[in-house]
Amino acid sequence: MPEISHRLQQVYNEILDYEEEFSKKPHSVNLIAVSKTRSASDIEEACKFGQTQFGESYLQEALDKIKQLQAYDLEWHFIGPIQSNKTRAIAENFTFVHSVDRLKIAQRLNEQRPKNLPPLQILIQVNTNNETSKSGCHFDELTRLASAIQTLPHLKLRGLMAIPVHEDDFEKQRLPFRQLHDAMEQLNGKGFKLDTLSMGMSKDIRAAIAEGATMVRVGTGIFGARK
Ligand SMILES: *Cc1c(COP(=O)(O)O)cnc(C)c1O
């Protein structure tokens, strides 16, 4: 079996195991294969194995690969930092954006989303580390940002995303994921209808699934170490 499909099968199996371990419905956690820095042919191998959702962080290489893989029916997720001058291409070429952390970016994505496409699916990136990371909306600004995004007609706010600093200890890994989960519950208690928690990467998907992840973003675990 080629290496990528072999690893992909392992990750599918792991996700199923963790869903069972933590009493989640089988296949309720979506795997986003993070294909940044990987070639179109690596992605194609994953496609042929049945993977359809891919995450990219760098716009230009993503656009090249999206074009090369047009023959497949794929769902592209933008997961990287967003500068204002990149919003048009993101709005035109992606289904999901996980990394919205300020209103100005959301407004631009809303204006630039082509009207013949369904609303762009949006996750707010939350800063669970406060001082150590510059990106991500702070918890105390979350309700305001979510309320503002909710009014934009060409966006559909689906949930929250976080990239916590890595911890080796399982219980320590769970803490920021639990905070993110609680933040979504609080928003839903205020009338939002959010259903997506994008959290967990190659080394911490078990903790993320334990805390209710609905999307995990795995790169290295599928494609091997990045150069
Ligand atoms: C690179 C990246 C991932 C994947 O990380 P791995 O450790 O390779 O699984 C997940 N999420 C984001 C936002 C990333 O930039």
Side-chain angles (χ1 to χ4, degrees):
M1 198 189 257
E3 210 176 359
I4 290 171
S5 44
H6 181 74
R7 289 213 198 90
L8 197 48
Q9 184 61 57
Q10 279 178 339
V11 178
Y12 291 144
N13 291 345
E14 260 177 66
I15 291 173
L16 269 172
D17 287 347
Y18 302 148
E19 285 168 340
E20 190 183 4
E21 180 179 0
F22 298 107
S23 310
K24 312 295 178 189
K25 264 184 28 203
H27 305 291
S28 58
V29 178
N30 280 330
L31 173 62
I32 311 302
V34 176
S35 48
K36 64 184 184 208
T37 79
R38 315 301 176 163
S39 66
S41 69
D42 280 358
I43 300 174
E44 198 171 14
E45 186 180 334
C47 295
K48 287 184 171 152
F49 197 67
Q51 178 65 28
T52 57
Q53 297 175 302
F54 291 90
E56 290 280 344
S57 303
Y58 310 115
L59 185 63
Q60 195 50 56
E61 61 152 291
L63 295 177
D64 293 342
K65 290 182 276 187
I66 291 171
K67 207 180 231 168
Q68 290 176 64
L69 294 162
Q70 258 170 354
Y72 296 89
D73 189 17
L74 302 181
E75 187 178 284
W76 294 95
H77 292 235
F78 194 81
I79 63 175
I82 308 175
Q83 290 106 36
S84 296
N85 63 345
K86 305 282 169 68
T87 51
R88 182 175 300 280
I90 293 171
E92 289 174 352
N93 290 281
F94 287 80
T95 300
F96 258 92
V97 182
H98 294 223
S99 42
V100 173
D101 63 359
R102 53 196 201 278
L103 184 57
K104 182 183 166 203
I105 294 296
Q107 287 167 331
R108 291 178 64 94
L109 291 170
N110 177 62
E111 283 158 23
Q112 295 166 344
R113 179 67 168 173
K115 304 301 171 273
N116 60 322
L117 294 180
L120 187 59
Q121 308 293 298
I122 299 293
L123 304 179
I124 296 177
Q125 182 175 346
V126 179
N127 183 338
T128 54
N129 312 311
N130 285 306
E131 58 298 326
T132 52
S133 163
K134 281 188 292 265
S135 49
C137 171
H138 288 252
F139 282 107
D140 56 2
E141 298 159 356
L142 191 51
T143 305
R144 220 167 49 166
L145 179 58
S147 302
I149 292 176
Q150 189 95 309
T151 67
L152 302 173
H154 306 294
L155 304 185
K156 169 107 178 118
L157 182 62
R158 294 290 302 277
L160 307 177
M161 177 272 224
I163 314 173
V165 286
H166 181 72
E167 296 280 354
D168 288 320
D169 178 71
F170 178 70
E171 291 304 325
K172 282 187 185 154
Q173 289 175 359
R174 287 181 76 149
L175 285 174
F177 296 147
R178 188 174 312 149
Q179 285 182 306
L180 198 70
H181 175 266
D182 291 350
M184 186 167 88
E185 296 279 283
Q186 278 174 23
L187 288 170
N188 284 340
K190 292 175 183 168
F192 289 88
K193 294 196 169 59
L194 308 182
D195 60 8
T196 304
L197 278 178
S198 167
M199 57 191 198
M201 320 206 305
S202 296
K203 289 184 179 152
D204 54 16
I205 61 173
R206 180 166 169 259
I209 292 172
E211 295 298 341
T214 66
M215 282 182 182
V216 292
R217 309 178 308 269
V218 177
T220 316
I222 298 169
F223 296 106
R226 281 181 294 275
K227 281 170 213 105

